[in-house]
Amino acid sequence: MSQITITLLFLAFAIIMFMLEKIPLGVTSMIVCVGLVVTGVLDWQIAFSGFIDSNVILFVAMFIVGGALFETGMANKIGGVVTHFAKTEKQLIIAIMVIVGVMSGFLSNTGTAAILIPVVIGIAAKSGYSRSRLLMPLVFAAAMGGNLSLIGAPGNMIAQSSMEKIGLKFGFFDYAKVGLPILIVGIIFFALFGYKFLPDKVDTSSEGIFDETKDFSNVPKWKQNLSLIILLLTLLGMIFEEQIGIKLCVVGCVGALALIVTGVISEKDALLSIDLKTIFLFGGTLSLASALEATGAGELIADKVIGMLGDNPSPYILTFVIFMLCCVMTNFMSNTATTALMAPIGVSIAQGMGADPSAVLMACVIGGSCAFATPIGMPANTMVVTAGGYTFKDYAKAGIPMIVVATIVSMILLPIFYPFFP
């Protein structure tokens, strides 16, 4: 059996098991990870490299930073301030999505989500609304916000480098021509209809560190203030990542270590705050993304689908197919890997037709950011699985309508802003 076939079988197994959830999500991920090694598709070092991925290191660090913010009661305090202004659940959803969306345009969307997850859990605790109905809009807004600027998401830079190879380039806010309308329509959609698709889970406060029944009145004031100061300094470190030359995950580690060393959070509580389910789910499924890339299985899927369009496809149909391919693939591969795979394919087809490749590349980037339908679609999705008590189906139920909305907006705006034959 070829390595491509084995990889596609493991992909099918993962999708089916994630949907049925007969075994825990993290266990399914590890079966795939180990299975790819046993069958010889991946070397063990590549298969397990996901566990030292920069996002996994960032997860661990930010779980501790978030845990400290919650343990000291500061998350609840911030939640109280926010709920003072946003009274209803809809108002809270809108406020969270606007803040996260704007921040994600200029910060890493994973970093933005990591910083704000404990704050939103605090908002849920203070408002009495279920955190499961607030955390999903947060991570969706983080994905949409990544399309507001050239630096919003790694995929944006990959498309830019594809453009530069053919002597063209996107401006800093070019992505916002489509990204901003998607964010605005997405927020309106959740305010009017989307909130109906959000799961309403009973908060599992006994799991992990985010116990909403705690009494924070005896927590020293200095601990509360210091937890907030370190969170804000961590945020600043992430904003100025390039200027200070320290990666996001390392900035997060500095913040986490500072909290433990200063005694804001104990080592025991810091370890309790790390969600191992998330680590195993994300680290394990990265091996599947590696296999799709390394064996050429991802490219094979793309080639087969695009090959069905024939020799002279309509530019509009081509853009739509590439957009949908990216939407589907990004929910099982990283959006960076999806864009890296699809961008050169899109450029070569567009050039073969004598068309401007801008629309196709933009479709790659926007489609690659529509990772709403699975818990492994992007790191931020994975971070809230346990905190929100979500299942695979919860993401599909709320995420697929959001993909439909993003597709409609994109298909209207792409030909307007990026005509094929200007």
Side-chain angles (χ1 to χ4, degrees), residues 159-229:
Q160 179 76 321
S161 66
S162 293
M163 285 286 275
E164 285 170 353
K165 282 174 190 170
I166 52 173
L168 302 168
K169 67 175 188 173
F170 289 124
F172 188 80
F173 287 112
D174 265 7
Y175 293 102
K177 291 176 184 174
V178 182
L180 182 60
I182 287 176
L183 178 64
I184 292 167
V185 174
I187 293 169
I188 294 168
F189 168 73
F190 267 103
L192 299 179
F193 315 104
Y195 71 93
K196 295 175 185 173
F197 300 111
L198 293 170
D200 194 359
K201 305 280 183 179
V202 177
D203 293 336
T204 52
S205 40
S206 58
E207 287 187 29
I209 204 167
F210 298 114
D211 181 1
E212 293 174 1
T213 59
K214 275 188 179 172
D215 176 21
F216 300 111
S217 58
N218 57 355
V219 176
K221 196 96 174 143
W222 69 268
K223 280 192 177 185
Q224 291 190 337
N225 294 336
L226 195 52
S227 70
L228 181 61
I229 290 165

Side-chain angles (χ1 to χ4, degrees), residues 47-63:
F48 287 94
S49 63
F51 291 98
I52 54 163
D53 180 83
S54 61
N55 282 316
V56 172
I57 296 165
L58 180 68
F59 287 177
V60 172
M62 294 314 297
F63 279 138

Side-chain angles (χ1 to χ4, degrees), residues 9-94:
L9 286 172
F10 272 117
L11 175 63
F13 166 79
I15 294 168
I16 292 163
M17 294 314 294
F18 282 151
M19 287 172 71
L20 297 177
E21 291 201 49
K22 295 293 183 188
I23 52 177
L25 296 178
V27 177
T28 298
S29 294
M30 290 312 299
I31 289 171
V32 171
C33 180
V34 174
L36 288 166
V37 177
V38 172
T39 53
V41 174
L42 291 179
D43 176 67
W44 69 269
Q45 287 169 305
I46 295 170
F48 287 94
S49 63
F51 291 98
I52 54 163
D53 180 83
S54 61
N55 282 316
V56 172
I57 296 165
L58 180 68
F59 287 177
V60 172
M62 294 314 297
F63 279 138
I64 295 170
V65 174
L69 201 71
F70 206 90
E71 273 287 275
T72 58
M74 185 47 86
N76 279 36
K77 268 192 173 179
I78 298 168
V81 173
V82 175
T83 51
H84 181 72
F85 296 101
K87 302 286 186 191
T88 66
E89 187 184 63
K90 278 189 195 177
Q91 286 175 350
L92 282 173
I93 289 171
I94 293 167

